[in-house]
Amino acid sequence: MKEVTKDELKKVQLDMIDYLDKTCRENGIDYSLSAGSLLGAVKYQGYIPWDDDIDIMLTRPNYNRLMEVLMAQTPDIYTLLYYKAQEAYLPMAKLYDNRTIASSKVDTLNQGTGIFIDIFPLDSLPDDFAEGESFKKQVRKEVTHLTASCPRGLSYASAEKWQYFMGKLILWFPYHVRYFGKYRTLAEKVDILMQKYNDKNTKYCNYVFSPPKRTGYFDKAIFADYENTVFEHLTLRKVKEHDTYLTELYGDWRQPPRNNQQRNHSYYHWYWK
């Protein structure tokens, strides 16, 4: 198989986000570029120099609507990785390109899938910080069970680095044995749990399966208004209050990050089928 070049990788991603953007606009769905993709749009009008992916975020009602639309009308070159559509071991969605395939020695959780766009749902968090951290810890525990249920060899231990892979291989093995093959039940359980506070009148939200020690309590007011933004040659969407979002996520986001804060997906290699 021929390896995908960096330029080809970006073209495939940009074609996918262009499709998602058009789909959202046609169906009245609000979305925003998120995390490094939003930072890139604001600072560089495209990818940040060290990045190699595109992420979007949607409030839960918009996320659910997008999932419904994509399950009903996705072009043949794309597949939706979402637990209601097919096996999925993380509580978010991916749209991936069927003409490509990933290869990784440490991350085989989504084995057989191609170049992707990450799609994150935003759910409510409690106003009390201690309660919020306890809730996020509960979510991480249930997602651990979901991921450990993957029946494909050692894929349940998938990680970004070898040391993480080895740690999960050992520590998650009891969960792998206990929950082997029960992904659908566990995925539904996680999905319901993540929405626990959505009927409460709380101030904050986030993708609640967020890493420990990364608070990210975003004021819901951030996600009330959206606007167009330039990303490479495309016009995409972002929250108007990007400064509030990026400050909560990165602190002084206008300053260059340290080298150890510059993350990408270098543990993947992409190939044309």
Side-chain angles (χ1 to χ4, degrees), residues 15-23 70 73-75 78 95:
D15 286 346
M16 277 195 289
I17 193 62
D18 187 36
Y19 166 72
L20 286 172
D21 175 77
K22 287 182 170 62
T23 299
L70 292 178
Q73 59 174 49
T74 302
Y78 301 140
L95 186 72

Side-chain angles (χ1 to χ4, degrees), residues 164-211:
Y164 299 157
F165 174 85
M166 295 304 298
K168 291 167 72 173
L169 189 66
I170 297 168
L171 296 175
W172 289 19
F173 182 71
Y175 301 130
H176 180 57
V177 173
R178 180 176 179 181
Y179 297 109
F180 185 91
K182 298 178 180 179
Y183 90 93
R184 181 56 191 251
T185 300
L186 295 168
E188 290 178 349
K189 182 179 181 181
V190 169
D191 199 42
I192 292 170
L193 175 61
M194 292 174 71
Q195 301 177 64
K196 178 179 179 179
Y197 291 92
N198 285 0
D199 61 349
K200 311 292 184 184
N201 188 27
T202 65
K203 182 178 180 180
Y204 303 108
C205 68
N206 195 356
Y207 174 54
V208 297
F209 177 52
S210 54

Side-chain angles (χ1 to χ4, degrees), residues 109-261:
L109 189 62
N110 300 314
Q111 194 169 21
T113 62
I115 295 169
F116 58 83
I117 301 289
D118 282 333
I119 307 172
F120 295 100
L122 301 172
D123 292 302
S124 296
L125 285 164
D127 292 335
D128 180 77
F129 176 80
E131 184 181 356
E133 291 306 292
S134 176
F135 172 56
K136 294 199 304 185
K137 183 177 180 180
Q138 184 183 5
V139 170
R140 289 195 297 271
K141 177 181 176 181
E142 296 299 334
V143 175
T144 296
H145 298 166
L146 170 60
T147 304
S149 73
C150 183
R152 295 189 302 271
L154 303 181
S155 293
Y156 75 89
S158 291
E160 298 179 4
K161 299 180 180 179
W162 274 109
Q163 58 266 42
Y164 299 157
F165 174 85
M166 295 304 298
K168 291 167 72 173
L169 189 66
I170 297 168
L171 296 175
W172 289 19
F173 182 71
Y175 301 130
H176 180 57
V177 173
R178 180 176 179 181
Y179 297 109
F180 185 91
K182 298 178 180 179
Y183 90 93
R184 181 56 191 251
T185 300
L186 295 168
E188 290 178 349
K189 182 179 181 181
V190 169
D191 199 42
I192 292 170
L193 175 61
M194 292 174 71
Q195 301 177 64
K196 178 179 179 179
Y197 291 92
N198 285 0
D199 61 349
K200 311 292 184 184
N201 188 27
T202 65
K203 182 178 180 180
Y204 303 108
C205 68
N206 195 356
Y207 174 54
V208 297
F209 177 52
S210 54
K213 300 181 181 179
R214 189 175 301 170
T215 305
Y217 282 70
F218 300 117
D219 192 316
K220 291 179 181 177
I222 295 171
F223 304 97
D225 295 301
Y226 299 79
E227 63 185 2
N228 288 340
T229 188
V230 174
F231 193 91
E232 302 297 335
H233 64 281
L234 300 175
T235 300
L236 304 177
R237 299 289 281 172
K238 73 170 183 68
V239 289
K240 286 186 178 180
E241 294 293 329
H242 66 258
D243 179 63
T244 306
Y245 171 89
L246 292 171
T247 299
E248 173 65 16
L249 188 61
Y250 296 119
D252 189 359
W253 56 270
R254 292 175 178 83
Q255 296 299 316
R258 297 188 298 272
N259 288 339
N260 63 358
Q261 294 176 316

Side-chain angles (χ1 to χ4, degrees), residues 31-61:
Y31 82 93
S32 173
L33 294 168
S34 69
S37 299
L38 179 54
L39 179 64
V42 173
K43 291 189 69 173
Y44 303 98
Q45 291 74 57
Y47 290 90
I48 51 181
W50 58 89
D51 206 3
D52 56 3
D53 73 339
I54 300 175
D55 300 332
I56 65 172
M57 56 185 172
L58 305 91
T59 60
R60 178 61 73 163

